[in-house]
Structures are given as structure tokens and as C-alpha cells.
Amino acid sequence: MRICRFNDNRIGVVRGDKVHDVTSILDRLEPVRYPAPVSDRLIANLDAWRADIEKLADKGQTFDAASVRFLSPVANPSKIIGVPTNYQAHRAEMAADTTIEHRNRGERDSSSGVQTVLDQGFFLKANSSLVGPSEGVKLRFPDRRNDHEAELGLVIGKRGSDIAEKDALDYVVGYAMALDMVVRGKEDRSFRKSIDTYSVLGPWLVTKDEIADPETLDFSLWVNDDLRQKSNTSDMIMKVRQQIALASSFYTLLPGDIIMTGTCSGVGRVAPGDVMTFEMQGIGRMQIPVMANG
Ligand code: MN
């Protein structure tokens, strides 16, 4: 199943080039009392409600997918986890260009060059940076270098801590394309990657039953007509299961948590007026406009 959030916070099931409105599934959510749970309540129930969501889709109002505005399929993650330097070719381009990751200047040694995720662990991006593709990326500092990072996004479906690698995929509800946008510079990475709109997820969540192996997916990103990034998730240094195990050894994973699994080589600058096109095998295609903030 492909589930999306679209237009004015409507929920849809995507079948072919149509979006079937299933927003009434939200009527099942209990009224929120203070404090609201720190997780995504729809994602938490996705497996349990799936059969009923499919039935609603059979009879719901339909929209052309080309005509709707896609928001992030996850509305309320408790955290967005970033995985740094997780493709060897990206590590090599970082070694060749110190403007990509300034902090790595002090974290290199002569034998191994730029450190990888295996040394660095993860970082967090602010939840308030999360948008869907139709909202676009808004550059606050267009005079600085703002880069795209195309990545596979994992969405966690149930609570877990100290998850074993062999069980890790049990905690995944589905996958989406993820853009880990960044303004390059000397500030802390989390600060530079947490600007509003610098985390893009979409265009929908594909439930994990539709993707037999998340580690064999081709993906490509273009800026306008220029192919910038092209790789396959098989090139990850730290694999998906190990990412989930490591993340959950530090913090409890909650429904709706997003892991952005790292980018391949070819990261590059975008400017207002550009349009990014991102395709991933098994998920689909999305276009993300780039604009100046304000
Ligand atoms: Mn990244």
C-alpha cells in the first residue's frame, strides 16, 4: 500500500496515478489530551487499520495524483535520524572537497581519510524541518552553498529499544524517498541540516511488503535536467538493519521516526528557481521546487 498526506492534511491511498481519499480513518483517533504522545498516531496504527484503509480507498473520492499537493507522509515524527558518510564514493568526494563537511577537517587521519558512519554514529535533524515535496525547499541563506542529499528514508512503525539486527525490519512500517538538505559551513551539522524545509519526505510511504529488499534500490536525483546523483542502496557502508540496531541502542524508536540512511556521491548546490527530481525504484518519483525563503 502507498499511503500519503495531501492537500489540506487529507490522507490518501495511491493506486496508479490516482489518490483515493481515506481521511475518515482519522475519526478513529482518540481526542488528544495533554501531553500529546510523542510519536505519529496514524503511523502507529497503520498495520492494524490497513485492511479498513484499503476498503475506504475502494469507495473514497479520487484525485489525479498529478493535481494534488503531497505533504510529508509522516506528520509527527519524534525524531529524524541522519546517517552521515554512508557511501564510499560520497566519502571520497568529501575527502576531495573540504567545503562539503568542515568538521571532518579535524576528524581525518592519514590512513583512512574522512571518517564514516562507523566512527561517527548518527545526528538528529529538527522535526520542524520536515516537509513534503510539494511544499518545496526554501533557502534562508541562498548566498551560501545549499546542497541536496538524496537518500532512502526508513519509517519506524512500532516502539523499540535495543533492537537486534535480525529483528530490525520488524520495526519498519515502510519506505519513502528522503532529501537531507544542508547549508554547508562551519556550524554544527545538526544546526545546518535543521533549517525549515531541509528535511523532505515523500511523495508517499510505501509499506514494507511492497519492497522485498531495501538494500537493492536504484535511485537518481536531477537538478533541472542535470543528473547529479545516481546509485543503489546496496552501496551503503552501514546497512539498514545495523542502522536500526545502533539507533535503538541509544534512543527508543517510536512510530513515525524517520531514518535518513545516507547519501551517495554527487551532492551539489541548488539555487532558487531550481527543481529537483528524485526517483527511487519501488517508490516512485517526486519533484521538489527550490525557492528563496520569505
Ligand atoms: Mn545525509
Side-chain angles (χ1 to χ4, degrees), residues 87 89-90 93 150-151 219 229-232 262-267:
Y87 285 72
H90 177 51
E93 75 182 347
E151 314 194 355
F219 64 98
Q229 297 190 270
K230 182 175 176 57
S231 189
N232 185 285
T263 200
C264 63
S265 61
V267 300

Side-chain angles (χ1 to χ4, degrees), residues 94 98-107 120 123-124 140-146 149 181-195 198:
M94 291 173 75
T98 54
T99 63
I100 293 180
E101 178 51 70
H102 291 258
R103 287 194 62 212
N104 267 302
R105 286 174 176 169
E107 294 171 355
Q120 296 181 53
F123 61 91
L124 294 176
R140 288 194 180 232
F141 308 102
D143 51 325
R144 292 176 59 175
R145 177 173 166 178
N146 291 271
E149 295 190 354
M181 298 298 299
V182 57
V183 61
R184 303 297 179 189
K186 293 180 178 175
E187 303 96 330
D188 187 84
R189 172 166 42 206
S190 168
F191 195 46
R192 291 182 287 103
K193 292 191 162 194
S194 289
I195 296 172
Y198 275 41

